[in-house]
Amino acid sequence: MMLDFSQVPGYGGLILTGLLWTILITCLAGAVSILLGVLAAVATLYGPRLVSLLLREVAFLFMATPLLLQLYLLYYGLSQVGILLPAFWTGVIGLGIHYAAYNADILGAALKAVDPGQAEAARSLGFARGATLLHFVIPQAMLSSLPQMGNNSIMLLKDTAVLSVLGIAELVLNAQRAISETYRPFEFYLVAAALYYIVNLAMELALKVASRRAEVVR
Amino acid sequence: MSTQRPMVELRNIRKSYGTLEVLKGIDLSVERGRIVSIIGPSGSGKSTLLRSVNMLEEVSAGEIWLDGTQVNQPLSGRAFERHINGIRQAMGMVFQQFNLFPHLTVHQNIMIGPMRLKGLSKDAARQRADELLAKVGLTGKGGSYPNRLSGGQKQRVAIARALAMQPKVMLFDEATSALDPELVDEVNLVMKQLAGEHMTMLIVTHEMRFAAEVSDHVLFMDGGVVVEQGTPDRVLANPTEDRTRAFLRKHLSN
């Protein structure tokens, strides 16, 4: 068998469009996963006991079941009861919540690891409980968990491929479209893989730079 | 007796952890502009007492007063939170471990309180921070992050941070205990300077020489009670209690 990439340029627009959607979804779902992750971690740690127990259970559910199943539930399950989420937002929200569970886990540990002296110093200045969390404890926990949360974001990037089953025209689905017209699966999947790899490299690099900066301020 | 009300007053302060009573009824009155040092062996309750003043430790019984306002008012929830935050703004605290905010620059460490709690503009807060940095001998360090500073520098920033709130009282909880010996003086110097400006200060320390130099009044605590108190001359140079003598002998020999 000979690899023949001669057909790839003709589908360059399709592939790049797919890549852009993949990146867009990664950014949006990543933002959701961090925002929800922070909220969930804070509520789990400092909220009422019942809320805390409930959230822990919910987070475990999201970590203990397949992402694909969660997406089906969101998309097809909800449509059965009349809630029709567009595929794109199903993907963003589904991925976002799924990784929020992981981020909440990491952040919870990081919040607990912040030196209690930090909160004491803030409280002694006259900061309220909430403001102490917001301005001092949470930022420090986020900085210290940057490497792990960054890794989660990289996992999230790869998992956007799953969204092809919902018909979202991200990288994998668009590669499949090209393949269905050219019968060149090897070539197009390899191109897609290379693109994931490149985005991944860029994210790793950004993460490394950010982590080094974070190290300075710890 | 002075008719002026004291700046800080503690009345019969008690504190227990479960069945262990660590403060067994402490009374203390600090007049405006006075400097009181609290000395004693570790576990004597001296840090707990200091931390009770701004209620970082909740007391089990007794009254705490700051400049005519009761600190430990029996308020509930939100009302107490508002009350204590106001009180704490008027009391600066300096910790043994500095507790600077590592994610903020020196400037930001000093400015965040005045800006967020007192509504100072960024420029005004910045100006105040620079003045305080000059005062503690750290002009030009505003842009640094805390982990770029030595222990002595960190503690001086921590003092500046507390002063930026323009407190009525400064509480020092073993401010030099975590420092390398050669860095102790630079912090002591700043504290002496504050003393010269008649800042009301409560100092927990195990540096007898420093206590003798700056204090108007010395409290020797052991086992949760005040064993002996008076002028430094009285307590440090001519103690009458055996426990005080034993403590001082041990402390001055090493």
Side-chain angles (χ1 to χ4, degrees):
Chain A
M1 189 203 80
M2 287 287 289
L3 285 176
D4 177 6
F5 288 96
S6 63
Q7 299 226 54
V8 171
Y11 292 88
L14 184 68
I15 296 298
L16 283 180
T17 311
L19 177 65
L20 285 179
W21 281 105
T22 290
I23 292 172
L24 179 68
I25 292 166
T26 302
C27 291
L28 289 175
V32 169
S33 77
I34 289 169
L35 206 70
L36 276 183
V38 172
L39 287 176
V42 169
T44 305
L45 219 55
Y46 308 104
R49 200 168 153 65
L50 194 67
V51 172
S52 174
L53 283 173
L54 203 70
L55 273 173
R56 236 185 277 269
E57 225 32 64
V58 170
F60 180 69
L61 271 178
F62 277 102
M63 290 190 280
T65 56
L67 172 65
L68 184 63
L69 195 69
Q70 291 166 21
L71 291 170
Y72 282 156
L73 279 169
L74 264 182
Y75 196 57
Y76 300 111
L78 285 184
S79 77
Q80 191 183 324
V81 292
I83 303 171
L84 295 163
L85 281 176
F88 177 80
W89 291 109
T90 306
V92 167
I93 294 167
L95 266 176
I97 294 178
H98 185 78
Y99 277 94
Y102 286 98
N103 283 342
D105 215 31
I106 289 164
L107 255 164
L111 284 169
K112 276 190 251 176
V114 172
D115 174 12
Q118 290 293 308
E120 279 193 351
R123 301 286 280 148
S124 80
L125 286 170
F127 279 93
R129 225 178 278 278
T132 297
L133 277 179
L134 189 64
H135 299 304
F136 305 101
V137 181
I138 293 173
Q140 288 182 44
M142 287 188 71
L143 281 172
S144 67
S145 56
L146 194 67
Q148 296 107 301
M149 292 221 286
N151 280 337
N152 278 354
S153 302
I154 286 169
M155 301 283 284
L156 189 151
L157 162 73
K158 292 186 291 177
D159 272 350
T160 55
V162 177
L163 303 187
S164 60
V165 300
L166 300 182
I168 297 172
E170 44 67 66
L171 186 49
V172 166
L173 189 76
N174 280 9
Q176 283 169 345
R177 282 180 183 161
I179 291 161
S180 67
E181 289 174 22
T182 60
Y183 307 106
R184 286 278 167 197
F186 228 132
E187 287 81 350
F188 279 97
Y189 282 141
L190 277 177
V191 166
L195 290 173
Y196 279 111
Y197 177 75
I198 290 166
V199 177
N200 217 317
L201 274 185
M203 282 176 76
E204 296 255 21
L205 191 69
L207 187 60
K208 217 170 265 177
V209 172
S211 298
R212 200 166 305 149
R213 273 205 53 114
E215 206 56 50
V216 175
V217 301
R218 283 173 63 191
Chain B
M1 239 188 87
S2 156
T3 51
Q4 199 188 22
R5 64 174 178 232
M7 184 57 99
V8 176
E9 197 175 10
L10 306 179
R11 295 180 195 156
N12 196 25
I13 296 299
R14 290 177 180 277
K15 162 90 182 169
S16 303
Y17 294 105
T19 55
L20 179 71
E21 194 171 34
V22 292
L23 297 177
K24 300 173 182 168
I26 308 271
D27 293 293
L28 173 66
S29 179
V30 185
E31 304 293 325
R32 191 179 304 268
R34 289 301 168 90
I35 292 149
V36 173
S37 290
I38 306 169
I39 60 169
S42 59
S44 61
K46 56 189 193 301
S47 275
T48 307
L49 181 69
L50 189 79
R51 291 161 53 83
S52 303
V53 177
N54 67 354
M55 290 196 73
L56 284 185
E57 300 281 352
E58 218 170 308
V59 297
S60 315
E63 288 178 12
I64 305 156
W65 290 79
L66 171 74
D67 199 16
T69 307
Q70 190 175 353
V71 175
N72 58 337
Q73 278 182 29
L75 297 166
S76 57
R78 224 171 264 275
F80 177 76
E81 177 83 8
R82 224 185 342 264
H83 160 75
I84 196 66
N85 290 336
I87 291 277
R88 284 174 177 153
Q89 289 181 29
M91 295 201 242
M93 186 157 203
V94 176
F95 300 86
Q96 182 176 357
Q97 297 297 338
F98 328 126
N99 297 350
L100 290 182
F101 306 124
H103 63 303
L104 302 179
T105 64
V106 166
H107 264 142
Q108 291 166 335
N109 263 276
I110 301 172
M111 290 159 65
I112 193 164
M115 283 175 67
R116 297 218 176 259
L117 301 173
K118 298 212 153 169
L120 236 65
S121 72
K122 195 172 178 180
D123 287 341
R126 178 67 167 258
Q127 196 188 340
R128 190 183 287 180
D130 280 331
E131 284 164 13
L132 287 167
L133 282 176
K135 181 177 182 141
V136 300
L138 290 172
T139 299
K141 287 285 182 190
S144 305
Y145 281 95
N147 78 343
R148 291 284 182 262
L149 305 178
S150 71
Q153 290 174 327
K154 280 182 195 169
Q155 196 59 301
R156 285 185 281 154
V157 172
I159 293 172
R161 177 178 68 180
L163 289 175
M165 295 298 287
Q166 302 184 319
K168 296 177 176 176
V169 186
M170 285 287 284
L171 311 174
F172 291 88
D173 189 6
E174 306 217 21
T176 56
S177 297
L179 296 176
D180 291 334
E182 72 270 21
L183 301 177
V184 168
D185 279 348
E186 59 189 66
V187 173
N188 281 346
L189 208 68
V190 171
M191 289 171 69
K192 272 184 214 166
Q193 195 184 333
L194 274 181
E197 293 166 11
H198 305 293
M199 171 63 80
T200 310
M201 291 158 70
L202 257 156
I203 303 171
V204 167
T205 184
H206 57 229
E207 279 185 87
M208 299 310 134
R209 216 176 309 273
F210 181 69
E213 258 180 86
V214 301
S215 322
D216 300 299
H217 193 84
V218 176
L219 227 69
F220 173 68
M221 281 181 69
D222 193 11
V225 296
V226 176
V227 175
E228 190 164 1
Q229 60 176 311
T231 61
D233 232 20
R234 252 266 300 110
V235 178
L236 297 173
N238 304 294
T240 54
E241 296 289 326
D242 286 344
R243 273 197 280 180
T244 318
R245 284 201 200 113
F247 172 77
L248 288 174
R249 204 161 37 237
K250 210 164 126 198
H251 250 267
L252 294 175
S253 61
N254 54 28

